[in-house]
Amino acid sequence: MYISRAMERRVKELAKYFPVIMVCGPRQVGKTTMLKEISTQLSDSINYVTLDYPQIRLLAKSDPELFLQQYRPPVIIDEIQYAPELLPYIKIRVDENHDSGQYFLTGSQMFHMMRNVSESLAGRVGILTLYSLSQSEISLTESTPFLPSKEVSCPNPPSSSEIFQRIYRGSMPMLITNPGLLIEDFYGSYMQTYLERDIRDLVTIRDENKFLKFISCVAARTGQEVVLADLARDSDIDGKTADHWLSILVSSGLVYLLQPYFNNTIKRIIKRPKLYFMDTGLACYLSLWNNPRALELSAMAGAMFETFVISEIIKTYANAGKDTRNHLCYYRDNNNCEIDLIILENGKAYPVEIKKSAAPGKSAIKHFHVLEDMGLDVGNGCVLCMSPIVLPLDSKNRCIPVSCI
């Protein structure tokens, strides 16, 4: 069963103007499936090849020219990070033939691959990042970048237990389309594949158990600021290794680092990023939760709920082809004033607070004033929460059900 992706429209738009389209993102989020679906709509003759096969990968690496003669455009080349040698030859071909929509590339090692793409295909490639299914994609509703000021409607909002069931199961396409598939079976296989294919390509890890312990420590800290010394201590590794391994989790799309709002004129602002797992199901699996009810009643419930909300908002921007780094940040200072999320759009700052509560009250927005104190043009704000309906808090701020993202 194929679930339509919000990014399809953006891929088709870029294919009108760029000769190369690259869709990157974590493993098994549906990159190839989406491109194959789009290819049937664009043309009946788009070829497909995956570099997962060792013999095909060897050909691509050892003789890129012959490979491209064998697999002529338009073509989908899956897992391009295995053969970066292809990129200069693709550049030569698209410079000779200026047709758009010729090469569709996928890759699951984003930043590691971006360097090669930026050097070889600058100005010739449209780049998009796909994550696991968003709630709007699962519910078959329209997806647009979230803004607190937009009009929202929330018919039949899910209960708290239903939200935590979604958080616990995650949103990987295979789990959504196969409701009988056990979470332990899927994520156990997922982590084994991740270790064998991605990690060993990026770094030599002598002790896989230490890396698994590290990623579990990261999962237990989702929704928190990055403190490398704590991660290193709890994982029995040094700080330099912790920094390197965290960058690997980011580069493979499993973890997102939300950067703090920064202003050179304000010295009290905390400058550490906050880390979020992009799939809450994987975070739950790694931090050893075995049922959603226990999670909902635990001390970690707030952090997991915040992770769910932040990851959903990130998906709404990524699916629209927007660079989240230009639009999303958070605020915290040494006076413990904190705003969970600031959305920057059209010169305005929109504050967002996240509360695992059905009636958070005005105290939830008590720190929004710091944005005006800094001289920013502040738009309408909101508290994303468990409320079943949209409720005004004051003239500029509302409580919005989390299902309205």
Side-chain angles (χ1 to χ4, degrees), residues 239-255:
K240 184 177 180 180
T241 301
D243 187 23
H244 182 44
W245 285 3
L246 181 60
S247 72
I248 290 173
L249 297 182
V250 173
S251 72
S252 50
L254 298 187
V255 169

Side-chain angles (χ1 to χ4, degrees), residues 5 16 21 27 46 52 64 95 129 148 151 193-194 207 210 235 257 259 272 276 293 301-302 329 347 380 386 398:
R5 306 305 300 263
K16 296 177 183 178
I21 308 299
R27 286 196 169 274
I46 294 184
D52 268 331
D95 284 349
T129 302
E151 292 298 320
T193 302
Y194 176 65
D207 189 346
K210 276 195 174 183
S235 306
L257 296 184
Q259 298 299 323
R272 291 189 296 266
Y276 294 96
R293 182 60 176 166
C329 60
N380 293 343
M386 294 287 194
R398 301 178 292 171

Side-chain angles (χ1 to χ4, degrees), residues 307 359 385:
T307 298
C385 60

Side-chain angles (χ1 to χ4, degrees), residues 264-296:
N264 285 324
T265 64
I266 302 175
K267 303 301 182 184
R268 64 178 185 274
I269 292 177
I270 299 295
K271 298 179 181 178
R272 291 189 296 266
K274 292 177 74 172
L275 69 88
Y276 294 96
F277 259 72
M278 283 304 297
D279 185 78
T280 54
L282 180 58
C284 290
Y285 171 80
L286 290 168
S287 49
L288 303 180
W289 293 102
N290 57 18
N291 73 77
R293 182 60 176 166
L295 174 64
E296 183 180 359

Side-chain angles (χ1 to χ4, degrees), residues 1-6 8 33 133 137-140 173 176-177:
M1 187 180 87
Y2 177 71
I3 298 176
S4 294
R5 306 305 300 263
E8 289 178 24
T33 304
L133 290 164
E137 288 172 327
I138 295 171
S139 61
L140 305 179
I176 300 302
T177 56

